[in-house]
Amino acid sequence: MTTTPEAGPTGPRIAPLPVRQWPPQMHEALAALTPATPRHPVPEKGAKRPKGLNALGVLAHYPELTRAFNVFNGHLLFATTLTIRQRELLILRISALRDATYEWRQHVWIARHEAGMTDGEIERVAEGPEAVGWSDEERFLLRAVDELIGDARIADATWRGLAKGLDERQLMDVVFSVGAYDTIAMVFRTFDVALDDDLKA
C-alpha cells in the first residue's frame, strides 16, 4: 500500500485537542462505543492497544456528532454478526483502496492482535481479491469492498457468492461496515489526522 503524508504540508486541518481540554460530553461520546449486548470482546480500559489520541482529539471538537457516530461504530466493532477477521478484511481493504494511512495502521494492529491475521495476509489485502491464498468467502468479501467503493453496489455474482455463507444480517453488516469505514477514511484524510507515535512503529 502506498501511504499519504501523515498530515498536510501545514499540519492537520483540524488540530486535535489534548485530552485535558476535551469537553465533558466527549466522555459520553466514548461510552457510546460500547453496545448494550456486544458479541465480541470490548477492550478493557488501559488495554495495550493504539489509543488513537490524534483522531479522538479531532472528534473532541464535536462530541455530539461523535456520540451519534459511535453508537453506529460500536455496533460494527463489537456487536456485528461478522467475525473479527471478516470485519478487519473489509476495513483493511477500504484503507488500502482509499490510501488511508491512519486507518490502515490502526487496523493492521487490530488485525494482528485481535483477528490473528499474519503479516502476509495483511499485505495480501492490499493486493486485492485476486491475490493467491484467499478462501472463496474472503475473496468475495474483498470483491464486495471494491464494488461498493467503485459503484455503490455489490454485483450480483459477488452477492450470490457471499450469500452462500452469510445470512441476511451478516450481508447487511458487510454493507454498513464498508460505508462506515469509508466515511472514517474520508475523515482521517480530509482533516489530515497525523499518525500518533504508537502507530508509527
Side-chain angles (χ1 to χ4, degrees):
M1 176 181 137
T2 59
T3 55
T4 55
E6 294 172 11
T10 58
R13 287 175 168 174
I14 299 177
L17 290 175
V19 174
R20 65 183 179 278
Q21 294 180 21
W22 288 4
Q25 298 92 330
M26 187 59 181
H27 300 288
E28 293 177 21
L30 293 177
L33 266 174
T34 304
T37 54
R39 288 187 175 90
H40 301 294
V42 176
E44 295 179 7
K45 191 173 182 178
K48 188 179 178 183
R49 67 199 314 260
K51 295 179 174 56
L53 290 179
N54 282 341
L56 293 174
V58 170
L59 296 174
H61 286 279
Y62 201 167
E64 297 87 354
L65 175 61
T66 300
R67 185 186 187 286
F69 186 78
N70 277 352
V71 172
F72 179 26
N73 195 29
H75 168 83
L76 300 175
L77 287 171
F78 306 120
T80 179
T81 57
L82 301 173
T83 67
I84 298 174
R85 179 184 174 91
Q86 289 168 333
R87 183 196 72 204
E88 292 307 308
L89 283 169
L90 298 174
I91 298 171
L92 287 173
R93 184 60 183 160
I94 295 158
S95 304
L97 290 173
R98 292 302 194 198
D99 200 17
T101 305
Y102 196 102
E103 187 174 57
W104 174 265
R105 294 283 185 91
Q106 275 192 322
H107 286 275
V108 162
W109 192 95
I110 294 170
R112 282 180 183 144
H113 298 279
E114 297 178 9
M117 292 177 65
T118 67
D119 287 347
E121 288 174 321
I122 291 167
E123 290 168 10
R124 202 161 71 231
V125 172
E127 296 176 37
E130 304 314 316
V132 175
W134 298 122
S135 69
D136 287 344
E137 180 177 273
E138 290 168 342
R139 193 177 309 283
F140 285 124
L141 284 168
L142 295 172
R143 193 172 292 153
V145 176
D146 290 13
E147 292 167 355
L148 286 167
I149 295 293
D151 192 41
R153 186 178 192 275
I154 296 175
D156 290 342
T158 304
W159 181 265
R160 287 192 298 270
L162 287 172
K164 289 178 182 177
L166 303 182
D167 63 25
E168 288 179 345
R169 288 189 173 192
Q170 290 171 310
L171 291 166
M172 292 175 73
D173 273 328
V174 167
V175 177
F176 278 93
S177 295
V178 173
Y181 279 88
D182 193 28
T183 298
I184 292 173
M186 294 177 196
V187 167
F188 291 164
R189 284 177 53 85
T190 298
F191 300 156
D192 287 330
V193 179
L195 288 176
D196 302 281
D197 288 342
D198 58 9
L199 289 176
K200 292 178 181 178

